[in-house]
Amino acid sequence: CAPSYSLVRGAARMLDGNARIVSLEPRGLQDILDNILLVGDLTGAQERAAEVVGRLRRRMDAVAARVAGPRPCVACLEWFAPLYVGGHWVPEMVAMAGGVDVLGVAREPSRMVEWSALCAARPEALTLIPCGFDIARARAEIHLLSDRPGWEDLPAVRAGRVYLTDASSYFNRPGPRIIDGLEILVGLLHPASAAAPLPAGAAERL
């Protein structure tokens, strides 16, 4: 979804003066925090960046200390047709929120999987995080999943544990709101361990 480094570099050549280009390509949660510190260094806002990262780390630690109970098997779908599962930081988020990501690989790119692989994984919860979508758009596209054979047989569907999310705000973009996404996941997977109600419009049960 993002412009390539070479495209940005080409555009920068058309600017007056010498523009320094910094490519931020985080693969995991720690990388996101490191990028915030880097941007703070580059913009002369080191103290502010350190404060932000310190606050985010405390929230992450609070999640880890709070989550308790069985760890459900979770699949996070980042695209519906073709079917993609979330990679990069998403499997880390699931693990910290008290689940087990059955298809995503931490710190690796999101990847395409066959529908049969999702069915074979038998996820107990489905988190729908289509790239760039909010809840309304995800709901409009849900037929791309629900019309497939075997949808009704998925344990997550049978248990009523399919969750639509505002993925663009809380899951797809590597910034401070990723930690909001982590807390939202806790609220979905372990409601009793959630510190606060979900933000309005953040997620809902299908």
Side-chain angles (χ1 to χ4, degrees):
C1 300
S4 68
Y5 179 80
S6 59
L7 182 62
V8 173
R9 185 174 57 187
R13 292 198 188 102
M14 294 184 284
L15 300 175
D16 292 333
N18 294 318
R20 179 180 178 185
I21 303 173
V22 179
S23 180
L24 305 177
E25 298 184 27
R27 297 175 64 186
L29 292 175
Q30 182 59 52
D31 298 336
I32 294 173
L33 300 182
D34 289 343
N35 280 178
I36 294 172
L37 295 174
L38 174 59
V39 171
D41 288 340
L42 295 172
T43 58
Q46 294 93 335
E47 290 187 9
R48 176 63 176 146
E51 290 173 3
V52 170
V53 168
R55 189 161 58 247
L56 296 177
R57 286 190 191 279
R58 288 190 292 274
R59 290 169 61 189
M60 293 168 65
D61 291 342
V63 165
R66 200 166 56 237
V67 171
R71 300 173 64 85
C73 295
V74 182
C76 298
L77 304 186
E78 199 169 80
W79 203 246
F80 299 163
L83 193 65
Y84 270 78
V85 294
H88 298 98
W89 48 84
V90 171
E92 290 181 85
M93 294 171 71
V94 171
M96 291 187 68
V100 177
D101 193 322
V102 292
L103 290 172
V105 180
R107 299 186 60 80
E108 293 295 330
S110 302
R111 64 189 183 95
M112 187 167 61
V113 299
E114 297 295 330
W115 176 252
S116 59
L118 177 65
C119 293
R122 298 186 59 79
E124 299 167 287
L126 269 178
T127 305
L128 307 183
I129 55 169
C131 188
F133 284 11
D134 59 12
I135 288 177
R137 181 66 189 277
R139 184 178 288 280
E141 303 289 340
I142 192 65
H143 66 93
L144 296 171
L145 298 175
S146 60
D147 289 347
R148 290 176 180 259
W151 167 258
E152 297 291 342
D153 296 326
L154 292 173
V157 175
R158 297 177 67 176
R161 301 194 70 185
V162 179
Y163 305 107
L164 301 165
T165 72
D166 182 352
S168 182
S169 294
Y170 299 111
F171 294 95
N172 304 148
R173 302 177 186 275
R177 284 194 295 179
I178 283 293
I179 308 307
D180 295 342
L182 171 61
E183 293 168 341
I184 290 165
L185 270 180
V186 173
L188 299 178
L189 302 181
H190 295 279
S193 298
L198 298 183
E204 62 183 45
R205 192 185 298 264
L206 181 64

